[in-house]
Amino acid sequence: MSTTGSSSTAAAYAEAVVNGVIVPLRWSDLEASAFGRVPEVYEAAVAAGADLDRDRTGWDLARDAGWLAVLFAPLALPVLTVFAVKDTDGAAGLYGVIGLVSVAHVLLRVLERRRTRTGGPRATAREALLAGFEACFAMISAGILAAASLAGQSWWLWSLCAVQIAVTVACVVSVRTARKAAGRGVPTVARPPFEEFTARVADLDEHDRAAIQADLGTALDRLEDAGFVSPPELAEARRAPLGSLARRLWALERSAARQAR
């Protein structure tokens, strides 16, 4: 059965491709297989290859748009709350929106803090400033709801007020987390997978580099003998510095595809 995947060495991967065990040949998998002797570099190679092969889909765009909407939504809480308190007919729907926005934003801030505490990037100075404004807006919303609760003796309005306070606390914690992370020198963006991979490749000792390069050479020889690579691909692969094979072949394939149009 034809499959895709990687092997313990680049030579073994090439042999599997020639024998039809692995179909099709993926340069990212071939390159990653060469680093099997160094697990941490192998993992970085797999991540870099996955990022290289990944195309943004409509779901990715929708997810990014949703994240931005949830991030900025608390700025609208006071306005929504005022309309909900004044509009008795549509109050239930508006209160539902307020509750949904609040819970979603608290979850976003919890995930943001977890990301930073587990080694991910911190919030930027602008994002921290936004969180500060949102904390103020959520408190204003909480105050309006508290007044409405006292006037109407509604327990569920008190619950909604408590959720607004939770938004405030989450935003304040976000600002503190960002400041502490900035003090520790945590970057505001994650290092791209390819940069992480090349940085780990650069740290390899000469023995590992020579062994990996020899393994890749053996794999390319096998693919050439079996006619699985074109002369331009082979030439580009042999010129590629260690750690850049998949990216250079990816660029070559994209260039050929554009010329064919």
Side-chain angles (χ1 to χ4, degrees):
M1 180 182 294
S2 297
T3 60
T4 59
S6 59
S7 303
S8 56
T9 65
Y13 180 87
E15 191 66 36
V17 169
V18 171
N19 292 331
V21 177
I22 293 177
V23 177
L25 164 64
R26 296 172 66 89
W27 292 105
S28 55
D29 287 341
L30 173 69
E31 183 172 51
S33 296
F35 291 91
R37 62 172 47 235
V38 190
E40 61 274 17
V41 184
Y42 170 78
E43 292 174 1
V46 171
D51 185 63
L52 190 65
D53 294 335
R54 179 174 175 270
D55 293 324
R56 286 183 62 81
T57 63
W59 166 248
D60 293 320
L61 296 175
R63 182 184 60 191
D64 291 345
W67 180 84
L68 285 173
V70 173
L71 178 64
F72 285 93
L75 297 177
L77 284 175
V79 174
L80 290 174
T81 303
V82 168
F83 278 117
V85 170
K86 289 186 175 182
D87 184 9
T88 56
D89 293 333
L94 287 172
Y95 285 137
V97 171
I98 292 168
L100 182 62
V101 165
S102 302
V103 171
H105 192 79
V106 170
L107 179 60
L108 181 146
R109 293 299 179 184
V110 169
L111 293 175
E112 177 188 73
R113 185 168 186 266
R114 180 182 178 185
R115 179 195 68 195
T116 303
R117 290 174 65 87
T118 55
R122 63 175 172 86
T124 64
R126 289 183 178 180
E127 290 170 340
L129 181 62
L130 174 64
F133 276 113
E134 289 175 337
C136 296
F137 278 47
M139 277 304 295
I140 293 172
S141 179
I144 297 171
L145 287 169
S149 300
L150 288 171
Q153 296 297 315
S154 175
W155 66 269
W156 62 272
L157 282 182
W158 281 115
S159 299
L160 204 55
C161 178
V163 175
Q164 303 308 297
I165 295 174
V167 172
T168 303
V169 172
C171 289
V172 171
V173 171
S174 176
V175 173
R176 289 176 57 85
T177 300
R179 287 180 177 175
K180 288 182 178 179
R184 299 196 306 270
V186 177
T188 57
V189 294
R191 178 186 282 183
F194 179 68
E195 288 186 14
E196 179 68 25
F197 174 43
T198 54
R200 296 197 179 198
V201 170
D203 290 337
L204 289 171
D205 60 41
E206 289 303 318
H207 175 73
D208 283 332
R209 294 177 69 88
I212 292 167
Q213 197 71 66
D215 182 29
L216 282 170
T218 300
L220 292 174
D221 289 342
R222 182 69 178 105
L223 292 171
E224 179 186 18
D225 292 341
F228 270 78
V229 292
S230 66
E233 288 176 325
L234 186 64
E236 191 68 27
R238 292 198 186 280
R239 285 197 300 266
L242 193 63
S244 66
L245 185 148
R247 183 162 288 264
R248 292 183 68 149
L249 268 296
W250 176 86
L252 179 66
E253 290 172 356
R254 293 297 187 277
S255 177
R258 285 195 297 269
Q259 293 175 5
R261 292 175 183 173

